Amino acid sequence: MAVTIKDVAKKAGVSPSTVSRVLSNHPRISTETSQRVKAVMEQLGYHPNIMAKSLVSKTTNSICVLLPKPAEELFSNLFFMELIRGIVTQANRSGYDVLLSSGVNEKEELEAVSRLLNGRRVDGAILLYSRKDDPVVDFLYEHKYPFTLIGRSENHHDILTVDTDNVQASYDATKHLISMGHERIGFVSGPPNLVVSQDRLTGYRNAMSDSGLQVRSEWIVEGEFLQESGYRAMSFFMNLPQRPTALVVVDDMVSFGVLRGLHELKFKVPEDLCLVSFNNIPLSELSTPPISSIDIGIYHLGYTASQVLIQSIQNDSVTGPMPKRHIIPHRLMVRESSTFAVSNK
Amino acid sequence: MAVTIKDVAKKAGVSPSTVSRVLSNHPRISTETSQRVKAVMEQLGYHPNIMAKSLVSKTTNSICVLLPKPAEELFSNLFFMELIRGIVTQANRSGYDVLLSSGVNEKEELEAVSRLLNGRRVDGAILLYSRKDDPVVDFLYEHKYPFTLIGRSENHHDILTVDTDNVQASYDATKHLISMGHERIGFVSGPPNLVVSQDRLTGYRNAMSDSGLQVRSEWIVEGEFLQESGYRAMSFFMNLPQRPTALVVVDDMVSFGVLRGLHELKFKVPEDLCLVSFNNIPLSELSTPPISSIDIGIYHLGYTASQVLIQSIQNDSVTGPMPKRHIIPHRLMVRESSTFAVSNK
DNA sequence: CCTCCTTGTGGAACCGTTTGCTTTTATCTT
DNA sequence: AAGATAAAAGCAAACGGTTCCACAAGGAGG
């Protein structure tokens, strides 16, 4: 039914191989033939069959994005949307298609990625998260498939990675609060098995101890990247005999939860509690009050992840000295939620 | 390099066709052979090459999702994220992969969709939006490719469609405000070339005239599905000599803009202005105050779109009496933003 | 004038599966 | 015991391209 290379060949009075060469701009095709063939292709409405091409070229010009298990449970959705926007934009620019894939648990994830990569349906993968001891990472690593990790791996140091310097970012956020006179600063963390949670916690600790401030264990609470976690953390902190005056919060979405809780309890932000969080999703400047947030360039992160992945796919033989770790710069966006200075003693 | 069906065949001492039949659970393969072959596959780490399979079966088990031109300009991102979540979840459940595709303008969009469908890379498409006179719709329609439209088409009535009854939804929203005693009700609309904008406007008009209320032309303003539009609409309305006491807003994101503007001008919601909007994205209950919104079941919309598309792909020969238009029920979520009753005269 | 390149094109094998048809082998009938 | 029937497996031709190799024709070099 569909018009094939042979139909074109017959109509143009040449062989299929010639048509194929016209398609790939082979140098040894006369301009005359080339034009004639192209005219016929146009006339017949010919479109190359991508599957057939992939079969012989062993390359698909597409990559897949692995969504974290239940996409709704991790991070804030806007974060992923931004990431995916960046990835798709860059990939399309490089002539690649993007395939979305997810699994409901680690086993399914692994099956999906195995099917896609072993089945030669995609040329590489992007992982949107970095967990500790991730079996998917191990799988990709062992099979030597091209892939990019957004975040960093603790086990392998020689894999492609696009990341924020989360330790530094958290250090900056904390220092910002300290510079406003805050000394009792709490930290609302994410799931402990996510590398990002750890890194941000480390930055916070470093900033505190560099400033000679003590970190009380009850000032650190763990949760998910969800509003509910923020809500819970908030009520925990506000019930403490000695409340913190400021919070570093691991994700904007969590901050929204904190904010909602404070509002319900009639606390005022930033007067009663200052907040700084991470990611600077498009909504963080929209909340009341607007939240100070570390802009980590989510779109840029995705864009770069796609870029380095595709580069590595195309250079797999060259294996030049390609940098493995890419750090996207971050920037603190100071907004109303952290603009209350306290004077101590 | 990769282990193929022939390697398995040789090692198991059977022919490639037998291996293939084992793969597809062909009835006339003895259990003994089947088990032996499966063991060899396991042992060799065999994975079927999806491209080769697609080439002969002329089916790819994947669909593509067409993102609106510049994804960032239309609608709120969370809306699309939810839609995509629904689509990917359902598609994966049905054994389909999802490919994301976008173009920066209509021409590029058309090229992308033509490449994917004419090139037989995907079996069908989902359009996330419905514009008036969309060339992409015409393309798909003329080529008889399976596709689903989220929204509805004005030109073609016999295409697969998953939609909210936006006229009714908007009617409900408006009636809700009227029942609270509001009579001066404004409407913040979206881009006029989007069918959804029109439908919601129609519902609003119907509700108003059914209640004997007049619609003043200055009470309707058009914009984009962006916060900025809400902000602008708000300042327009609040500068009117006779201000509306309530607003029906075409999208939650736009409501956020209205809210921000009102907050800046020290107006109170809902006392000074009541708000109802559409879509009920996860954040609308989080804003201060929480926004009343029509829940249109975004995830469900996406889920269903994928479901009917895949059904139609698989039944393309049967062509039974498949319903073309699917309506997802909506529900008004009343929250603080619309809970201020006014008494008239 | 003969050989040797170069240029442009055709022929055919191959990429990894599926599947209609055929062959082989085993199981019944009578 | 022989022919019929059914079950199991093999053969080979696709699917729609790409690409190595061969080959013809024309021009250059000796």
Side-chain angles (χ1 to χ4, degrees), chain A residues 46-121:
Chain A
Y46 168 76
H47 292 268
N49 182 310
I50 306 184
M51 295 299 162
K53 178 183 285 192
S54 290
L55 181 56
V56 34
S57 71
K58 290 178 181 313
T59 180
T60 63
N61 271 69
S62 53
I63 59 177
C64 71
V65 170
L66 298 175
L67 304 176
K69 341 193 205 174
E72 47 272 53
E73 278 181 23
L74 282 181
F75 288 91
S76 58
N77 290 342
L78 267 184
F79 176 82
F80 286 108
M81 192 70 210
E82 281 292 293
L83 227 35
I84 292 174
R85 248 189 62 215
I87 293 170
V88 172
T89 304
Q90 201 290 322
N92 285 355
R93 250 173 226 172
S94 306
Y96 276 69
D97 289 316
V98 177
L99 218 125
L100 249 35
S101 162
S102 75
V104 60
N105 54 45
E106 282 194 351
K107 182 159 165 287
E108 273 194 24
E109 272 179 64
L110 209 49
E111 277 168 12
V113 68
S114 155
R115 189 175 54 84
L116 291 173
L117 282 133
N118 284 328
R120 298 289 182 276
R121 177 175 211 108

Side-chain angles (χ1 to χ4, degrees), chain A residues 51-299:
Chain A
M51 295 299 162
K53 178 183 285 192
S54 290
L55 181 56
V56 34
S57 71
K58 290 178 181 313
T59 180
T60 63
N61 271 69
S62 53
I63 59 177
C64 71
V65 170
L66 298 175
L67 304 176
K69 341 193 205 174
E72 47 272 53
E73 278 181 23
L74 282 181
F75 288 91
S76 58
N77 290 342
L78 267 184
F79 176 82
F80 286 108
M81 192 70 210
E82 281 292 293
L83 227 35
I84 292 174
R85 248 189 62 215
I87 293 170
V88 172
T89 304
Q90 201 290 322
N92 285 355
R93 250 173 226 172
S94 306
Y96 276 69
D97 289 316
V98 177
L99 218 125
L100 249 35
S101 162
S102 75
V104 60
N105 54 45
E106 282 194 351
K107 182 159 165 287
E108 273 194 24
E109 272 179 64
L110 209 49
E111 277 168 12
V113 68
S114 155
R115 189 175 54 84
L116 291 173
L117 282 133
N118 284 328
R120 298 289 182 276
R121 177 175 211 108
V122 299
D123 299 337
I126 296 180
L127 270 64
L128 297 190
Y129 50 86
S130 10
R131 294 178 293 217
K132 300 174 73 169
D133 305 315
D134 193 329
V136 176
V137 170
D138 291 339
F139 169 86
L140 291 166
Y141 187 81
E142 281 164 18
H143 286 253
K144 297 197 192 307
Y145 286 127
F147 73 104
T148 309
L149 198 61
I150 294 185
R152 69 183 183 84
S153 166
E154 297 195 305
N155 301 342
H156 312 281
H157 63 287
D158 57 340
I159 61 183
L160 272 183
T161 258
V162 179
D163 199 8
T164 307
D165 184 345
N166 279 305
V167 176
Q168 183 64 45
S170 191
Y171 189 94
D172 295 349
T174 312
K175 273 290 190 181
H176 162 62
L177 291 171
I178 294 173
S179 76
M180 306 283 292
H182 293 276
E183 299 191 332
R184 302 201 305 275
I185 304 175
F187 187 85
V188 184
S189 184
N193 70 327
L194 253 36
V195 179
V196 59
S197 303
Q198 294 195 312
D199 286 354
R200 289 181 181 169
L201 184 53
T202 303
Y204 158 79
R205 284 183 189 282
N206 293 352
M208 292 294 273
S209 66
D210 279 9
S211 306
L213 295 174
Q214 195 197 337
V215 175
R216 300 211 202 148
S217 65
E218 75 259 30
W219 284 351
I220 298 177
V221 320
E222 280 170 356
E224 304 284 316
F225 282 73
L226 294 171
Q227 313 156 26
E228 284 76 46
S229 295
Y231 191 92
R232 274 201 303 278
M234 182 280 313
S235 57
F236 172 81
F237 283 131
M238 298 321 260
N239 281 323
L240 246 34
Q242 201 180 20
R243 301 201 280 253
T245 63
L247 251 40
V248 178
V249 182
V250 79
D251 178 83
D252 291 332
M253 222 52 192
V254 181
S255 278
F256 289 151
V258 173
L259 236 41
R260 181 167 53 107
L262 291 171
H263 182 76
E264 282 177 13
L265 298 182
K266 309 286 182 206
F267 283 111
K268 290 229 172 290
V269 177
E271 293 82 355
D272 296 321
L273 189 69
C274 275
L275 277 181
V276 179
S277 60
F278 292 87
N279 296 357
N280 193 33
I281 61 173
L283 285 161
S284 36
E285 59 172 329
L286 244 124
S287 62
T288 40
I291 305 176
S292 295
S293 190
I294 299 270
D295 189 326
I296 59 169
I298 313 179
Y299 178 89

Side-chain angles (χ1 to χ4, degrees), chain B residues 6-14 19 33 36-38 40 44:
Chain B
K6 288 174 193 163
D7 302 325
V8 175
K10 189 174 296 174
K11 179 121 183 174
V14 295
V19 177
T33 310
R36 182 159 42 96
V37 171
K38 277 178 182 158
V40 174
L44 257 45

